[in-house]
Amino acid sequence: MTTRTRLSHLQQLEAESIYILREVAAQFERPALLFSGGKDSITLVHLALKAFRPGKFPFPLVHIDTGHNFPEALQFRDDLAERIGEKLIVRYVQDSIDQGKAVEEKGKFPSRNAIQTVTLLDTIAEFKFDACIGGARRDEEKARAKERVFSVRDEFGSWDPKLQRPELWNIYNGKIHVGENVRVFPISNWTELDVWEYIRSENIPLPSLYFSHKRQIVWRENVVFPVSEFVTLDSSDKVEEKTVRFRTVGDMTCTAAVESEANSLDDIIREIQTSRTTERGSRLDDKRSEAAMEERKRGGYF
């Protein structure tokens, strides 16, 4: 009599993601994994290690460095790439600004979130990438929820949510015309809690930003905002020191922190289970308009 082993919820998600990563390797000639040093892209790297070791990755790691990144995330990025021995390609938004291809925002909190799309599209063209793997999840934001796992972008890098391919069962269609690109999201079906529980079960290292630490902050739009060299403070700003952590890690000019004493994975998971705010509720770039994320994605954003 054959005994069947039932996969746990996390094992099912892991198996699906590994299958998607292998489909990318099978269907595309020049894929890349977009890596920022955040928890979702770190999880993707861990899944890729399981999918392709003992061989090398069939794609490089690619980071679009805005110049406003947290130093802790950049250091973690470099250390991880060196530890696993995989190729890391870094391209800089500052170069796009210097070349006159992108115009930097002015003001108190100048975000480079939107203009990094220029650098990304130039990088895709430079290396002729036909697929870019990203760590977006459907539970993050309503525009993300419209994406397919294989999301086709036209020759200008733009996305049309009304022109999505059907994905029946586990069949993914990566056929594209010359100049087109596919964004691939292997952890689309994961939730924030799934990611954290997987990180705990696999003992995956993370940047210290995700755990409670003391940091100088100011209040902006009722959220805890980190003080940095990229933010222009004025006399009305009251700088305080708070114990905080970050649920998501973007630019220092658009990512707010949360007050928290969670300094272990167990603490973070308990905190998320009782939280009434979304993960991206602390991303100020998403609050610029009702459809801020979708507008950026239509222009070629991650």
Side-chain angles (χ1 to χ4, degrees):
M1 182 176 179
T2 303
T3 302
R4 294 185 177 181
T5 302
R6 187 179 183 87
L7 296 179
S8 69
H9 174 63
L10 289 181
Q11 288 172 328
Q12 290 179 46
L13 290 174
E14 178 190 70
E16 177 188 57
S17 299
I18 288 174
Y19 172 79
I20 292 167
L21 287 169
R22 289 173 175 166
E23 279 293 295
V24 172
Q27 293 195 43
F28 297 97
E29 294 183 7
R30 296 184 182 89
L33 191 155
L34 301 177
F35 182 74
S36 65
K39 72 181 187 309
D40 296 314
S41 60
I42 291 169
T43 298
L44 281 181
V45 169
H46 185 82
L47 290 164
L49 288 168
K50 288 198 167 190
F52 301 112
R53 284 295 189 257
K56 299 283 286 184
F57 287 1
F59 40 69
L61 308 181
V62 175
H63 183 216
I64 305 302
D65 188 339
T66 65
H68 288 175
N69 301 100
F70 286 90
E72 297 94 329
L74 294 180
Q75 186 62 55
F76 189 94
R77 175 200 70 186
D78 295 341
D79 291 346
L80 177 61
E82 182 178 359
R83 174 167 57 84
I84 65 176
E86 295 293 343
K87 183 178 181 180
L88 171 66
I89 296 170
V90 181
R91 290 295 180 268
Y92 300 92
V93 170
Q94 186 62 53
D95 290 342
S96 299
I97 295 171
D98 293 343
Q99 294 162 10
K101 295 180 178 180
V103 179
E104 186 168 17
E105 284 186 359
K106 305 298 181 183
K108 191 171 181 178
F109 295 89
S111 174
R112 291 184 172 182
N113 208 318
I115 63 173
Q116 66 182 308
T117 297
V118 175
T119 314
L120 172 64
L121 296 179
D122 281 351
T123 304
I124 290 171
E126 177 186 355
F127 293 96
K128 296 182 173 58
F129 292 134
D130 52 3
C132 292
I133 304 163
R137 308 185 321 271
R138 291 191 178 113
D139 76 318
E140 288 183 273
E141 201 271 344
K142 59 187 178 182
R144 300 275 201 210
K146 296 180 182 180
E147 294 260 30
R148 298 292 191 268
V149 174
F150 276 27
S151 181
V152 179
R153 307 298 173 97
D154 66 20
E155 62 270 27
F156 302 106
S158 61
W159 170 69
D160 186 345
K162 295 181 180 179
L163 295 178
Q164 296 283 290
R165 294 173 176 175
E167 291 180 342
L168 307 176
W169 300 287
N170 61 350
I171 300 174
Y172 303 107
N173 179 6
K175 186 176 181 179
I176 55 175
H177 298 292
V178 175
E180 291 181 333
N181 179 267
V182 174
R183 307 291 169 84
V184 181
F185 305 109
I187 60 172
S188 282
N189 294 327
W190 297 45
T191 66
E192 181 189 12
L193 186 58
D194 291 331
V195 172
W196 280 108
E197 289 183 334
Y198 185 73
I199 288 169
R200 179 176 64 179
S201 70
E202 296 289 308
N203 196 28
I204 301 173
L206 292 175
S208 58
L209 292 162
Y210 286 107
F211 301 92
S212 65
H213 59 281
K214 290 190 181 297
R215 184 178 289 267
Q216 286 193 322
I217 64 94
V218 293
W219 288 94
R220 181 191 178 198
E221 297 181 15
N222 296 318
V223 294
V224 181
F225 206 79
V227 173
S228 75
E229 61 185 294
F230 310 115
V231 174
T232 303
L233 301 180
D234 56 41
S235 58
S236 66
D237 292 312
K238 181 182 177 182
V239 177
E240 305 175 53
E241 186 174 83
K242 294 282 188 181
T243 300
V244 301
R245 73 175 192 88
F246 293 88
R247 288 177 67 181
T248 180
V249 176
D251 277 1
M252 297 182 76
T253 51
C254 67
T255 305
V258 293
E259 292 190 76
S260 173
E261 297 288 343
N263 56 15
S264 71
L265 293 175
D266 288 340
D267 291 342
I268 290 172
I269 288 170
R270 281 193 293 269
E271 188 176 84
I272 292 170
Q273 287 171 332
T274 59
S275 175
R276 294 188 177 183
T277 60
T278 64
E279 176 184 7
R280 292 188 71 93
S282 59
R283 289 292 292 268
L284 300 182
D285 49 321
D286 291 349
K287 297 181 180 181
R288 297 193 169 197
S289 73
E290 187 68 22
M293 173 66 80
E294 184 163 327
E295 290 167 0
R296 293 200 303 273
K297 291 174 76 64
R298 284 177 181 271
Y301 186 71
F302 304 128

